[in-house]
Amino acid sequence: MNKQHRIVIAGCGGMSNVWIQELLKRDDAVIVGLVDVYLSQAEKIRDAYGLDSGVYTRLEQAIADTNADLVIDVTIPDSHFEISTTAMKYGCHVFGEKPMAATMEQAREIIATADATGRTVSVMQNRRYDANIRALRELISSGTIGRTGMINADFFLGPHFGGFRDVMDSPLILDMAIHTFDQARFIIGADPVSVYCHEFNPPGSWYKGNASAVCIYEMSDGSVFCYRGSWCAEGSPTSWEADWRIIGEKGTAIWDGVHAPYAEVVSAGESAEPKFMRDTVRVEAPMRWNGRPGHAGGVDEMFLALKEGRPAETDSRDNIHSMAMVLGAIESAKSGQKVMLG
Ligand SMILES: NC(=O)c1ccc[n+]([C@@H]2O[C@H](COP(=O)([O-])OP(=O)(O)OC[C@H]3O[C@@H](n4cnc5c(N)ncnc54)[C@H](O)[C@@H]3O)[C@@H](O)[C@H]2O)c1
């Protein structure tokens, strides 16, 4: 019998639906409280799912009344720091939506609070939970293409969201790119060292802020990660998972974000007799991962980590490196300088 976690949901907007639908399927979770700055919003969600959970405007009160041990933070990015530090100080672990916080100072303080309280903060990075990306990661870590030199991700889509994204300063980098940056770290198993970013708003863009960017990262394994992205690119879209080309000393790995990844590597015996263009062979990626995709997979990993008493794959101590890639890129775009990421 699994331990049943007593859960308070903080933030009862759009994403709370995704979490609640997932939690209602589990035998290790019971939703005991709903918090929103607007009580009517919490009541609306309670009624929509027929929950008998208490509704609150203050997280402290919700935790104290319900004896909760876990808080799901689906508030807006500017509230994540306050919600996760309060939850930990009141004895709860936190599963939070991305981004972990709004600034690097806040992210560091969240980790310090986790250290001080012995609680954990796990961040949702749903694009890690996918059989194809796991196969690509194994293709790279098993040495199929040799040591990695260059990782390229192209992300070109033209979504017409309307609403807050259309008026943000850096909609692509701030709202979306953390997924692709976190994927890059996950695929190659390295962290960022520096970034140079050029952000711009091309002709035809329907966004007020910069909807396109090129970012160059030096990574801790000596490789270079090059990101080219746009959220105002009409026609011939890439997938939301991005289009990947990873070049190693023995060959190239390819993933279009949709189909199974593969590599093309120099044929055995080619080094004995060098020629102008060497023959290559195609190597299929090992499709071994059989977890649930997307959000469901992220939720599974967070609960399993709690059960096993270990940090989740996307623990705050890991996720701060993906945050650094986002905030460093914005800083570089503003200053026009390369930014070191400590
Ligand atoms: N992983 C993904 O693919 C994905 C997709 C969409 C959104 N998100 C993230 O999910 C989070 C929530 O997004 P959303 O679309 O549900 O936003 P939303 O604006 O629809 O909902 C947020 C809710 O939080 C409430 N809130 C704000 N501050 C609060 C506080 N201090 N205490 C209690 N309630 C508070 C608001 O009143 C609102 O009801 C964001 O961080 C967003 O980036 C992630």
Side-chain angles (χ1 to χ4, degrees):
M1 176 70 186
N2 281 324
K3 172 185 163 145
Q4 202 171 44
H5 293 283
R6 297 178 63 75
I7 297 172
V8 167
I9 311 265
C12 295
M15 278 310 283
S16 68
N17 291 286
V18 175
W19 282 86
I20 290 170
Q21 284 161 20
E22 203 46 58
L23 295 173
L24 289 176
K25 293 180 201 156
R26 304 189 68 95
D27 67 2
D28 54 357
V30 56
I31 302 169
V32 292
L34 297 164
V35 182
D36 201 284
V37 284
Y38 301 105
L39 195 64
S40 59
Q41 196 59 35
E43 287 167 346
K44 193 171 134 195
I45 289 289
R46 178 196 61 192
D47 297 345
Y49 291 95
L51 302 171
D52 57 6
S53 333
V55 288
Y56 304 87
T57 53
R58 285 172 46 80
L59 179 61
E60 300 88 322
Q61 190 66 48
I63 297 171
D65 276 11
T66 61
N67 199 23
D69 66 315
L70 180 57
V71 169
I72 310 288
D73 180 3
V74 267
T75 61
I76 55 172
D78 278 347
S79 297
H80 289 175
F81 171 74
E82 183 206 322
I83 295 291
S84 55
T85 51
T86 302
M88 287 189 282
K89 285 173 190 164
Y90 279 76
C92 293
H93 296 288
V94 180
F95 297 170
E97 263 303 337
K98 62 85 189 162
M100 159 184 179
T103 66
M104 288 304 287
E105 291 69 30
Q106 289 181 353
R108 286 188 204 102
E109 204 170 323
I110 286 172
I111 292 171
T113 309
D115 288 342
T117 58
R119 305 288 100 181
T120 55
V121 175
S122 310
V123 184
M124 177 52 74
Q125 294 287 174
N126 37 303
R127 285 168 208 280
R128 288 184 174 211
Y129 301 94
D130 173 278
N132 288 327
I133 199 171
R134 300 238 159 204
L136 177 61
R137 184 172 74 147
E138 191 175 335
L139 199 65
I140 305 298
S141 66
S142 63
T144 308
I145 63 168
R147 283 174 303 173
T148 309
M150 187 177 192
I151 305 96
N152 301 280
D154 278 357
F155 179 94
F156 292 105
L157 284 148
H160 294 255
F161 293 105
F164 73 93
R165 293 181 183 87
D166 285 11
V167 292
M168 280 171 77
D169 280 347
S170 303
L172 176 74
I173 297 284
L174 266 183
D175 199 54
M176 181 65 216
I178 191 150
H179 286 297
T180 320
F181 297 168
D182 187 72
Q183 285 172 290
R185 291 184 48 240
F186 180 67
I187 291 167
I188 63 167
D191 290 327
V193 174
S194 75
V195 57
Y196 176 79
C197 169
H198 180 69
E199 229 195 350
F200 56 106
N201 207 23
S205 172
W206 49 94
Y207 297 81
K208 184 164 170 283
N210 289 321
S212 300
V214 178
C215 306
I216 303 165
Y217 292 90
E218 291 171 297
M219 303 299 286
S220 55
D221 62 355
S223 66
V224 171
F225 167 50
C226 180
Y227 169 85
R228 303 189 301 177
S230 177
W231 242 354
C232 58
E234 297 283 22
S236 199
T238 64
S239 74
W240 285 82
E241 315 303 325
D243 191 41
W244 298 80
R245 174 177 286 264
I246 304 172
I247 300 136
E249 53 193 343
K250 293 192 274 184
T252 295
I254 297 287
W255 181 42
D256 65 4
V258 180
H259 301 98
Y262 64 92
E264 286 186 0
V265 298
V266 172
S267 311
E270 280 286 317
S271 52
E273 233 180 278
K275 31 174 140 141
F276 183 53
M277 298 292 271
R278 292 179 174 178
D279 293 335
T280 56
V281 289
R282 180 171 164 131
V283 181
E284 303 301 334
M287 302 297 293
R288 278 190 248 276
W289 191 72
N290 57 7
R292 297 193 301 154
H295 253 85
V299 173
D300 284 347
E301 160 61 8
M302 291 179 191
F303 275 104
L304 188 62
L306 272 191
K307 189 174 169 186
E308 294 178 352
R310 61 167 172 84
E313 280 180 359
T314 56
D315 183 80
S316 51
R317 293 170 190 84
D318 175 275
N319 201 251
I320 195 169
H321 298 292
S322 300
M323 280 267 309
M325 293 176 84
V326 171
L327 297 174
I330 303 269
E331 189 185 333
S332 169
K334 285 203 173 111
S335 67
Q337 305 290 315
K338 173 165 144 177
V339 169
M340 300 309 293
L341 305 172

